[in-house]
Amino acid sequence: MPFSDFKTLKRLLKSDLSALPVVKVSLLGDTATQFLATAIRGTGVERGYHIDLYEAEYDQVERQLLDPTSEFYEFNADFIILFQSTHKLGENHAMLSSEQQTTLAEDRLNFVASVCSNPALEGKKIIYFNYPEIDDAVFGSYANHVPQSLTWQVRRLNCGLMDLTQQYPNLFICDIAALQNKLGRDAMFAANVYTSTEMVLSMDVLPNVASRVMDIICAVKGQFKKCLILDLDNTVWGGVIGDDGLEGIQLGHGLGIGKAFTEFQMWVKKLKQRGIIICVASKNNEETAKEPFEKHPDMVLKLDDIAVFQANWETKVDNIRTIQSILNISFDSMVFLDDNPFERNIVRENIKGITVPELPEDPADYLEYLYGLNLFETASYSSADKDRTKQYQVEAQRVSLSKTFTNEADFLKSLDMVSVVSGFTKFNTPRVAQLTQRSNQFNLRTVRYTDADIESFASDAEVIDLSFTLQDKFGDNGLIAVIIMKPQDKETLFVDTWLMSCRVLKRGVENFTLNTMVEIAKSKGYKRIIGEYLPTPKNGMVALHYPELGFTPIEGSPTAQWVLDLENYQPRECFIVANE
Amino acid sequence: MERSEIYEKLNEIFCDVLDLDEVHLTDASVADDIEEWDSLSHIQLIVAIEKAFGIKFTSLEIMKWNNVGEMVNSIIAKKQ
């Protein structure tokens, strides 16, 4: 079972939570929610959060929300979970006239809308549980014809909640109706427990529900999966391509259990179209591994869909590390799927943070099993997400090219790099400001600037402002480096800002940048440039930036400073051509 | 199923659910005897007992037992 049971979650709360980041959550429900609260807090610990949870007294949803002096407002949570049950809705439904029944969904939606637009809750995230259906069998299937039926109203309500999300970005639907579709009503609900306790969720389902809640909280907090890494043989197709050959592998509706793999590939394709980065890590000859992608008529996935393709005889662990270094995303945002339990264990043991589901033995079960894990929760979606694959493919091509050169200079030369050097303009101001705000690693002084600051540098004749783009034969990286130099006296320039995007490390951009800086400084009559390094927890990679570029230390200065004498400066070797 | 066997199993379940090192339930045991046994953990116990014995209690049973002995009577009745 992929989810910890309730007992385990409860026990986790006894551990020391003081080191975990705190998230404040309120839980308001119209049934007994103590167990749900415990399950959410326990699942929070599993995901690395200390959930500081305020639980309202039972059935106080409206009172707590409507009274601005309530404990709920005093607690001031970041996330507000509202759990109004289908059960209570049904009770309500039973007591209404048939005319009133037809507006049940609408009334509830109006309430939800009023919560979402409540000014006192501005900036809060509202997690609203949708309504798992209860078929009360009053009309049978004919309920679909009758607006006052409970079935009609519950379905309307769930559709209406989706509509509300389009209007209120602070509203997140926790889809426990989907959970019930997966597990079944009889698993979701235990009548005897409900009758003696007012709990509408069974003990067994609590961990799943809590997990769905934490999926949303984690996604909002930026913790979500970005990348899916696939093994090939018996994961993407049936059989072993190296042994069975192109005609022998099982795919499509023809041979053996090929259908299972084809449908699995369709799911992966949809994930790719949503913006999940798809990669391959396979023990195979690269050529053999790629053959089905290129030639097999029943392959849904094409080479185009794969951002990084690692097929060789190195270990899976090494290949996943290579993929990580190309994508430059954290291991905890990656999922690895492999049919082989041995490989799964090795990856799990050696790569901390990566998610490695225990795939079922029968490939026919892969999809339903994976659906149940809800691995790819997200808190946003934009069509731009779709273009990510292309970007990473380009980077992967660069990395694989670099492996074919033994000499770094030859490799850099082969890239045909071109840089556009420009001062700050109204076109590049937002990107320059963004870089000053976001760059943490290759950033010498980590001074943050707004758009307005950047504009003021642009209009100040004293300030030397430079931006650099980098393009190579594989693609354009856009604006990747920023320099701001200010005069300290008539002969001396001080480097206020030197930063660079880590996408273009080890390409000699530093050398090109310095050559450009010196040239401009000299033309304005300056004799020296002073650089300073202000350490932060993240910028250790540039601690020796200035000495490595030939600057000499300034003795006795209170911070780490270096100076460069411009008169004797020899332009540094680099393979980037300026494009004026 | 012998009464003693049921008690053996119940003692195990109580230890596991309530996180106790040992429990010695008797016919006369009531919730007040065990600090960790409150109205919430009671439900956890019920669900665990249902699973362990492969039975289902009625809602009335869940609410009406006066002591462990009565609960054991219910279990025996269902196992026959």
Side-chain angles (χ1 to χ4, degrees), chain A residues 43-103:
Chain A
T43 309
V45 176
E46 284 189 326
R47 308 282 183 96
Y49 290 105
H50 174 192
I51 303 291
D52 182 9
L53 190 133
Y54 165 76
E55 189 190 358
E57 294 285 315
Y58 156 63
D59 204 10
Q60 288 217 332
V61 181
E62 283 91 352
R63 198 193 81 69
Q64 291 283 342
L65 282 169
L66 296 177
D67 173 8
T69 65
S70 65
E71 295 101 324
F72 163 76
Y73 283 105
E74 198 180 314
F75 183 73
N76 195 23
D78 303 313
F79 291 88
I80 298 155
I81 303 170
L82 291 182
F83 177 21
Q84 297 185 290
S85 62
T86 316
H87 231 95
K88 293 287 160 183
L89 191 80
E91 281 179 21
N92 196 352
H93 180 258
M95 305 309 287
L96 298 175
S97 70
S98 62
E99 213 168 282
Q100 290 167 319
Q101 284 174 339
T102 56
T103 62

Side-chain angles (χ1 to χ4, degrees), chain A residues 16-36:
Chain A
D16 178 17
L17 312 181
S18 57
L20 302 177
V22 175
V23 180
K24 289 184 87 173
V25 175
S26 283
L27 173 60
L28 306 180
D30 62 4
T31 56
T33 52
Q34 295 96 320
F35 278 60
L36 179 59

Side-chain angles (χ1 to χ4, degrees), chain A residues 500-514:
Chain A
M500 191 175 87
S501 159
C502 288
R503 271 186 291 173
V504 293
L505 288 174
K506 295 185 186 155
R507 304 270 203 94
V509 175
E510 303 91 309
N511 292 339
F512 178 76
T513 307
L514 185 59

Side-chain angles (χ1 to χ4, degrees), chain A residues 378-404:
Chain A
T378 180
S380 68
Y381 172 69
S382 81
S383 47
D385 292 346
K386 287 187 275 192
D387 304 329
R388 244 179 254 149
T389 302
K390 186 79 211 152
Q391 220 176 307
Y392 287 115
Q393 277 169 342
V394 167
E395 185 55 30
Q397 281 169 349
R398 262 182 219 120
V399 171
S400 71
L401 177 68
S402 78
K403 282 188 180 164
T404 66

